[in-house]
Amino acid sequence: MTEQGHTLTIRDDDLSGPEITQLLRGHRSAAVANSPPGAAHALDMTALKRPEVTVWSAWYGDQLAGCGGLREISKTHAEVKAMHTAASHVRKGVATTLLHHMMSIARERGYKRLSLETGKSEEFRPAREFYKRFDFLPCPPFGDYVDDGFSVCMTRFV
């Protein structure tokens, strides 16, 4: 996938750059703004830097296009976290490329299942539809999630 002569590249991200920091802060702010109090589960920068979390960023040259991560729940189960596409790159295949990359990594790591949590409201409908296209199906809460009436949990086998 190319844009303006640049190929989309995905790299492990140590979350130290200003571009990724800004993108992830915006991601978290949007989750909080569109969720009832206490129902936003987007991780803050400290939580994203924990050893059980890996984050990848997608770049066109020196322009950040998006990011996504995996949080290990167990040796066979991981959670998709921090999926976000920069506004200037929405609907250009960035999220699809990132998710394919993360599913490949999940298989390499031996995960058998990938799960995620997103919101139930209209603001989160595009996310639910996106994951449904990749065979993620609704599931009961997993890990530390509880049925809060707002969260939608989804899962798929890798």
Side-chain angles (χ1 to χ4, degrees):
M1 196 166 33
T2 62
E3 182 173 292
Q4 298 177 357
H6 296 286
T7 301
L8 186 70
T9 59
I10 297 176
R11 61 185 185 218
D12 287 1
D13 202 302
D14 66 6
L15 306 178
S16 64
E19 299 94 340
I20 191 73
T21 299
Q22 181 179 0
L23 185 68
L24 287 167
R25 284 188 179 147
H27 170 71
R28 182 164 165 71
S29 293
V32 170
N34 292 302
S35 304
H41 300 288
L43 299 178
D44 64 20
M45 294 302 286
T46 301
L48 287 169
K49 291 179 180 180
R50 291 186 184 143
E52 68 271 17
V53 180
T54 306
V55 177
W56 294 272
S57 53
W59 298 80
Y60 282 114
D62 62 356
Q63 192 173 65
L64 179 61
C67 62
L70 292 177
R71 180 180 69 90
E72 185 173 286
I73 296 170
S74 73
K75 294 297 179 195
T76 60
H77 188 192
E79 178 182 11
V80 175
K81 295 299 290 186
M83 280 289 289
H84 195 81
T85 302
S88 60
H89 297 287
V90 171
R91 307 245 185 281
K92 295 181 180 176
V94 174
T96 296
T97 302
L98 277 163
L99 189 57
H100 279 299
H101 177 78
M102 294 187 323
M103 289 191 301
S104 175
I105 297 292
R107 284 188 290 277
E108 288 174 16
R109 291 181 178 178
Y111 300 139
K112 304 297 181 207
R113 182 175 158 206
L114 286 179
S115 300
L116 61 96
E117 179 277 339
T118 190
K120 188 179 278 188
S121 67
E122 183 62 20
E123 291 85 0
F124 294 94
R125 183 181 50 76
R128 293 189 307 271
E129 290 176 357
F130 172 76
Y131 291 116
K132 189 176 181 180
R133 287 194 307 269
F134 291 90
D135 299 323
F136 281 86
L137 299 173
C139 68
F142 61 92
D144 296 332
Y145 293 106
V146 296
D147 187 359
D148 62 7
F150 179 76
S151 292
V152 173
C153 292
M154 302 176 82
T155 196
R156 66 160 284 161
F157 292 99
V158 179

